[in-house]
Amino acid sequence: MHDLRIHIKRAEYGLVEGLFSAIPILPRHIYEGVKDPFRFATPEAAVGSGPYRLAAYDKAQGRYRLEATEDHPLGRPWFDQIWIVKMGPDAALQAMSAGEVDVISYLPPDRLPEALDAGFAVETSPSDHVLRLGFNHRGQFQKKELRQAIAYAVDRSALLEIAFPGVAELAETGYFQPGSKWQSDEATEGYAYDPAQARDLLLAAGWTQNSAGRWQTQGEEIRLRLLTDGREVKPARVIAEQLEAFGFAVDLRVMEVAALRSLVADGDYDLTLFSSSTLGDPGNIRRRVFGRGWNSDRFPADPKMAGLIKAQAVAQSQAERQEILARFQQLYAENLPSYMLVNPLMATVFNDKLSAPFMPGRGGHWHSVSASQIYIPGVNRWTMPPPRCWITRCRRRLQAQDRQLLGGLRALSAGSFCGY
């Protein structure tokens, strides 16, 4: 038995959950002579203590074969083998209909009706990768009142109905989403659709409307440059139409991520539409709010918000940290570093070989069926997103109480294959 002592320069409440949970324990006899662990990708690198081991891997086909660990400390898993194959939606649905696969862990929302019509069961859960409207804080939208005006001019309920019918929910504007242990019970400003309020805020800020109803500043018509990538085209078009109906000229640009990053870095935009996670320990808020990445808020270092982010990191208890973060959420909703729009759902499609599905739940924690929505054909109905489908093929029937197997499937579905 050995003790591990770690000395840090300052207190940091989220150190264990935020940092240590992401650091794997590496066996010395394998990694001792490895100079660059990040490039260590030989079969010897697939080590771990999970209920499955990597038996075969085909990089070209994106295929993994996992075999049960016979003498696992928690008991032998129910499945002898698990196959994981990377497929597109068409191939995935065809393979499932033919009985060649048992689970589609992620399926695009527009394909879900096919799965439901085929009689497969579906489970959904909010992704907490929130679609948000970002602002150029060093350009048109330096004042919070202007950002608030845009928020009131955007009809999120209509956006939800048109671009995400049945596959998303309205996002909380104070950063953390429902189900997160950090979300405050205090209500934050929801910016219900209110064109009159939006107009009043713009007029108070010195913007005016010409005889054609177009917004202008200092006598020049305002043309908003809205940037997004190919994944968010439909909601981007809805937002552009809403802003145009409100009186803005909108230049919608859909581009590859590399080009989008370049324009954002150069400040050549007014608004951006992007998805970004709100999961994980709050210690990462500083990067997500004040960071300079294209999918960060790129918000100038507001002293009050920055102070709260720093204070929550050194809080001495979870209750103290939650109280600090409650104040942060109020400021986030007021200042609008970005405007949280909708929270898309994720879904897993599975056949009758499985009696218990697996999905990441609220706040990034895995949960049982009872903690999420589940569709059983002929009983109820709804749906989900992400672009790529991972298919698992299982050889024996899953039982709900088989926790060690679920543990393996959780990591596999999240894309973490090392150790299983």
Side-chain angles (χ1 to χ4, degrees), residues 246-303:
F246 181 68
F248 284 111
V250 179
D251 180 11
L252 173 59
R253 305 179 188 179
V254 180
M255 56 191 63
E256 296 293 333
V257 172
L260 180 59
R261 286 176 176 169
S262 178
L263 287 180
V264 170
D266 293 340
D268 188 14
Y269 72 103
D270 297 300
L271 302 168
T272 58
L273 190 64
F274 62 94
S275 295
S276 183
S277 174
T278 60
L279 298 172
D281 186 84
N284 58 29
I285 292 178
R286 180 181 298 274
R287 173 180 56 82
R288 291 175 175 175
V289 176
F290 301 127
R292 303 303 295 162
W294 73 273
N295 59 349
S296 297
D297 293 338
R298 300 172 65 85
F299 192 57
D302 175 79

Side-chain angles (χ1 to χ4, degrees), residues 40 43 89 108 121 123 135 138 150 163 203 211 215 231 267 271 306 321 334 336 345 348 385 402 404 416:
F40 184 34
E123 184 188 7
F135 302 93
R138 289 172 171 78
I150 294 296
L203 292 174
S211 59
W215 286 101
R231 294 171 295 183
L271 302 168
R321 200 179 190 200
E334 175 187 340
L336 289 180
L345 302 179
T348 292
D402 189 10
Q404 70 268 34
S416 175

Side-chain angles (χ1 to χ4, degrees), residues 175-216:
Y175 189 86
F176 295 108
Q177 301 303 304
S180 168
K181 67 179 180 180
W182 306 113
Q183 190 201 19
S184 171
D185 292 333
E186 300 176 23
T188 55
E189 175 58 60
Y191 297 98
Y193 180 54
D194 191 341
Q197 178 70 3
R199 185 173 294 104
D200 289 345
L201 286 168
L202 293 181
L203 292 174
W207 290 17
T208 60
Q209 283 184 292
N210 60 24
S211 59
R214 290 293 189 179
W215 286 101
Q216 57 186 16

